[in-house]
């Protein structure tokens, strides 16, 4: 598995790459402890690195190897920044095999600029520094699972999420392992990207499966057909190419086929790229509602190619914008103003961090439901006739209005959301919507659990809003 779930996230790379600064920030975003191996070496030996070097580099390397073994064997998953030369040790390289190792990339000129005045023992002579850089590169290549240059990039790598325009064409290299591959897609996406996908997967392709498009795919009968027809054994991988409906059902089939096989998500909608394909929630709809059956099954990798959005119809893009606006409000930034490739990357990194902090939704992952409690109630009351994206857009305005009343949120945010998403009240039965709100999966003793904002970037989860206030906010979303 190409993720840091349940294991250490080790950062390697040349001096000056910013492993310590970035590592500390990544650890805060993932809710993990941060360990700087250099400081650990000093703490364990009771001597400074400079003094160890004065006795010869090997004195330092031996102490570093001992400290690395201790840190990498500690049970609590942490973010560990290793010194630039720590991977020279074969023992440390062997330890790293059990963890996710990310190369924090920097080019040699930038590295030299950053460290030339630092007084570090190995950064005193530019020619030697450059030679060392060249000598170390192949050693890093031996141990790394992924490369990243900034904090978002490291967070994405930790979740096994690869975001790159053009990544679709490199699918064969991005599907972990060497086993056979079953490709699952929907009819519509198969017509646009099927041939390219076959080519990209190449010789590992064992079977292809076309599902109906849209929610029709998320039925038990469709999953059952996949259980019968998937041509992968437990060494194989299911590759799901499509929107959230395809990744939800194919991920569920992968979670349950042979008691669980690996899967790779290749989202092709904006909803999929910023939300559905990240974080391991898979599921089906049943007679009692949407997503009533499912499993947490984290993809071995999520391959996001923003270039695939070029063929997305405008109404599907609009549906994705609602999820993107939600993410921007939670992150506290107008992500929707960024160009496609950047907004996808930023939003994907935000969701990845939240899900890594809480992979099975025991707590704070609930913030991702901003706007969704109202949205789900409207969808249910309409018999799932209205689009999820439209329902979420309405739900966001209700959550923002309550946030203004309870926490004094600046009303300008609601105005911006309205302008961007233009949500229109829907004709559904009010009582049915109210009923759905208290029957929501996440309601507590009949009280809807809402996500509100104290401020952009500061979500709160509460079940303490009086029911009449909740009803008034819901009623404002309904016409007739
Ligand atoms: N698992 C999760 O965490 C999670 C999160 C959010 C949403 N979801 C689920 O996702 C589903 C909605 O996903 P969606 O909005 O992606 O819908 P979708 O999968 O139905 O795709 C929408 C439509 O766009 C077409 N399409 C897909 N990619 C295309 C492309 N690149 N070019 C042209 N057409 C394309 C599809 O064929 C389909 O007709 C819902 O069922 C929702 O419950 C799951």
């Amino acid at each position: 598995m190409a993720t840091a779930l349940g294991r250490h996230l080790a950062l390697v790379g040349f001096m000056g790459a910013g492993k310590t600064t970035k590592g500390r920030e990544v650890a805060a975003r993932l809710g993990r402890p941060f360990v700087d191996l250099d400081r650990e070496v000093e703490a364990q030996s009771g001597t400074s690195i400079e003094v160890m070097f004065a006795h010869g580099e090997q004195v330092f390397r031996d102490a570093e190897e001992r400290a690395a073994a201790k840190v990498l064997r500690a049970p609590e998953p942490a973010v560990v920044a290793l010194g630039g030369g720590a991977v020279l040790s074969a023992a440390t390289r062997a330890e790293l095999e059990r963890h996710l190792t990310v190369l924090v990339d920097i080019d040699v000129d930038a590295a030299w600029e950053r460290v030339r005045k630092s007084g570090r023992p190995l950064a005193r002579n530019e020619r030697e520094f450059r030679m060392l850089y060249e000598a170390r590169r192949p050693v890093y290549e031996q141990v790394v699972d992924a490369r990243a240059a900034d904090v978002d990039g490291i967070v994405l790598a930790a979740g096994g999420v690869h975001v790159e325009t053009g990544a679709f064409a490199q699918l064969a290299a991005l599907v972990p392992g060497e086993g056979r591959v079953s490709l699952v897609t929907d009819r519509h996406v198969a017509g646009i990207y099927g041939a390219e996908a076959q080519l990209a997967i190449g010789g590992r392709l064992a079977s292809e499966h076309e599902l109906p498009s849209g929610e029709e795919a998320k039925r038990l009968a469709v999953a059952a057909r996949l259980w019968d027809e998937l041509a992968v054994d437990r060494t194989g991988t299911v590759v799901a190419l499509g929107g959230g409906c395809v990744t939800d059902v194919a991920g569920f089939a992968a979670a349950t086929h042979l008691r669980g096989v690996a899967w790779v998500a290749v989202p092709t909608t904006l909803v999929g790229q910023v939300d559905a394909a990240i974080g391991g929630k898979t599921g089906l709809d049943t007679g009692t509602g949407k997503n009533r059956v499912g499993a947490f099954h984290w993809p071995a990798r999520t391959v996001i190619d923003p270039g695939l959005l070029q063929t997305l119809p405008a109404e599907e893009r609009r549906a994705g914008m609602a999820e993107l606006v939600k993410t921007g409000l939670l992150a506290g930034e107008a992500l929707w103003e960024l160009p496609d490739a950047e907004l996808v990357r930023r939003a994907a990194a935000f969701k990845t961090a939240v899900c890594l902090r809480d992979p099975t939704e025991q707590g704070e992952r609930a913030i991702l439901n901003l706007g969704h409690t109202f949205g789900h109630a409207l969808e249910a009351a309409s018999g799932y006739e209205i689009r999820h994206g439209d329902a979420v857009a309405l739900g966001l305005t209700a959550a923002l209005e309550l946030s203004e009343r309870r926490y004094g949120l600046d009303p300008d945010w609601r105005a911006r959301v309205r302008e961007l998403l233009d949500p229109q009240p829907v004709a559904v039965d009010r009582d049915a919507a109210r009923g759905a709100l208290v029957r929501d999966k996440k309601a507590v003793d009949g009280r809807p659990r809402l996500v509100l904002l104290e401020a952009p970037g500061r979500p709160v989860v509460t079940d303490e809003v009086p029911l009449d206030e909740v009803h008034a906010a819901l009623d404002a979303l309904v016409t007739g």
Side-chain angles (χ1 to χ4, degrees), residues 186 188 214-215 218 243-245 248 268-269 276 281 290 308 311:
D186 75 21
H188 186 191
E215 286 296 319
K218 287 179 58 172
C245 291
D248 269 8
T268 60
T269 60
K281 266 197 200 177
K290 270 189 63 161
L308 301 181
T311 54

Side-chain angles (χ1 to χ4, degrees), residues 86-111:
V87 294
L88 297 174
S89 149
T92 301
R93 291 200 299 275
E95 294 286 348
L96 286 173
E97 277 173 23
R98 289 182 294 112
H99 305 289
L100 187 84
T101 306
V102 175
L103 173 65
V104 184
D105 241 340
I106 186 161
D107 70 52
V108 66
D109 297 331

Side-chain angles (χ1 to χ4, degrees), residues 186-189 192-193 213-215 218 242-248 268-272 275-278 280-283 285 290-291 308-313 316 319-320 323 351 365 372 387-388:
D186 75 21
R187 257 175 223 136
H188 186 191
V189 174
I192 309 174
Y193 294 113
S213 59
E215 286 296 319
K218 287 179 58 172
C245 291
V246 172
T247 50
D248 269 8
T268 60
T269 60
L270 190 53
V271 170
D275 196 346
I278 297 166
K281 266 197 200 177
T282 70
D285 304 336
K290 270 189 63 161
N291 302 323
L308 301 181
L309 300 179
Q310 279 169 14
T311 54
L312 196 66
E316 297 301 342
E323 301 292 359
K351 179 154 187 198
R365 187 167 173 168
H372 282 61
R387 305 172 72 88
H388 178 70

Side-chain angles (χ1 to χ4, degrees), residues 286-292 371-388 390-392 394 426-441 474 478:
T286 67
T288 54
K290 270 189 63 161
N291 302 323
R292 298 299 291 191
H372 282 61
T373 317
F374 290 105
H376 286 153
L378 297 173
E379 279 181 279
S382 76
Y384 298 96
E385 286 297 311
I386 61 171
R387 305 172 72 88
H388 178 70
D390 294 338
V392 170
L394 281 166
V426 285
V428 297
D429 184 81
R430 263 169 229 269
D431 291 334
R434 288 179 175 193
L437 202 61
V438 293
R439 278 196 310 278
D440 186 82
K441 281 203 290 286
L474 181 67
V478 174

